[in-house]
């Protein structure tokens, strides 16, 4: 539509939380190809451990209080924990069909991405829906968007994030020290 090509969030006076997003290749006809957050209330909307890059117009546009931390946002944001001067180095932003914004886009990180080990472990949400089916919905979410482990350490990459090693990567996918076969993002783990 006109605002928020990927996400339009009307959070009113309640704020909200967005964590572990990979937002790329979206567009809007007017404002904020990435995220448009309409937060006219007094409670902040929190964005963390996310990548917002390669969307048309502004990456993030906000009306009201928003805090962005431990994120990589094209064009920059204020805050010492954000990365704004380096591309995220996605594996293949426009996929096999060479069309940006289609389902085959690969937003997993290359092994040299500045988003590796750059997140905030304390911002990873709880596994309230028990996505790993271990009957523990009080643990920190242990899986990424591929249902692979959410925390993996790349020893060759300096840890720039916050927390004990392993430190979570920015975005929806975790990078691993050895090659993995990725599951379809929508199939259930068995």
């Amino acid at each position: 539509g006109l605002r928020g090509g990927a996400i339009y969030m009307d959070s009113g006076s309640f704020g909200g939380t967005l964590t572990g997003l990979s937002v790329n290749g979206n567009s809007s006809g007017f404002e904020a190809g990435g995220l448009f957050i309409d937060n006219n209330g007094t409670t902040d909307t929190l964005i963390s451990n996310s990548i917002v890059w390669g969307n048309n117009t502004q990456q993030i546009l906000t009306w009201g209080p928003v805090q962005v931390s431990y994120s990589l946002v094209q064009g920059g944001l204020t805050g010492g924990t954000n990365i704004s001067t380096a591309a995220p180095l996605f594996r293949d932003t426009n996929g096999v069909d060479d069309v940006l914004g289609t389902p085959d886009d690969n937003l997993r990180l290359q092994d040299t991405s500045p988003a590796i080990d750059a997140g905030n472990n304390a911002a990873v949400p709880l596994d309230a829906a028990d996505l790993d089916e271990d009957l523990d919905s009080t643990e920190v979410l242990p899986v990424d968007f591929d249902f692979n482990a959410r925390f993996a350490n790349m020893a060759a990459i300096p840890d720039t994030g916050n927390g004990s090693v392993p430190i979570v990567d920015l975005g929806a996918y975790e990078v691993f020290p050895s090659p993995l076969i990725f599951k379809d993002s929508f199939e259930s783990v068995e």
Side-chain angles (χ1 to χ4, degrees):
L2 295 178
R3 294 185 172 128
I7 296 175
Y8 175 91
M9 183 175 175
D10 184 354
S11 54
S13 61
F14 301 107
T17 302
L18 300 169
T19 303
L21 302 175
S22 293
V23 179
N24 178 269
N26 300 282
S27 61
S28 73
F30 184 55
E31 295 175 315
L35 309 175
F36 182 87
I37 301 182
D38 186 356
N39 182 14
N40 291 320
T42 57
T43 304
D44 287 358
T45 295
L46 307 174
I47 300 171
S48 60
N49 295 351
S50 296
I51 301 171
V52 186
W53 192 276
N55 303 286
N56 85 330
T57 67
Q58 291 174 279
Q59 301 302 306
I60 300 175
L61 180 63
T62 64
W63 289 354
V66 174
Q67 292 181 24
V68 181
S69 63
Y70 293 97
S71 293
L72 194 158
V73 180
Q74 185 176 4
L77 290 173
T78 58
T81 63
N82 294 311
I83 302 170
S84 61
T85 58
L89 302 179
F90 293 125
R91 289 187 186 259
D92 189 357
T93 57
N94 54 359
V96 177
D97 65 4
D98 286 329
V99 178
L100 190 64
T102 57
D104 72 335
D105 297 354
N106 187 346
L107 301 184
R108 294 173 189 87
L109 302 172
Q110 294 179 29
D111 292 346
T112 56
S113 170
I116 295 172
D117 298 342
N120 180 5
N121 288 356
V124 178
L126 295 179
D127 187 15
D130 193 24
L131 293 178
D132 63 344
E133 299 178 346
D134 67 353
L135 303 178
D136 184 357
S137 60
T138 62
E139 66 184 337
V140 172
L141 185 64
V143 295
D144 68 3
F145 195 65
D146 275 332
F147 288 94
N148 290 314
R150 179 73 262 199
F151 298 89
N153 186 45
M154 291 287 286
I157 304 287
D159 295 333
T160 58
N162 181 49
S164 299
V165 174
I167 295 177
V168 67
D169 295 344
L170 303 181
Y173 303 99
E174 194 76 14
V175 172
F176 290 84
S178 59
L180 290 174
I181 298 172
F182 291 98
K183 299 174 182 70
D184 183 305
S185 298
F186 299 103
E187 73 182 7
S188 62
V189 175
E190 301 195 356

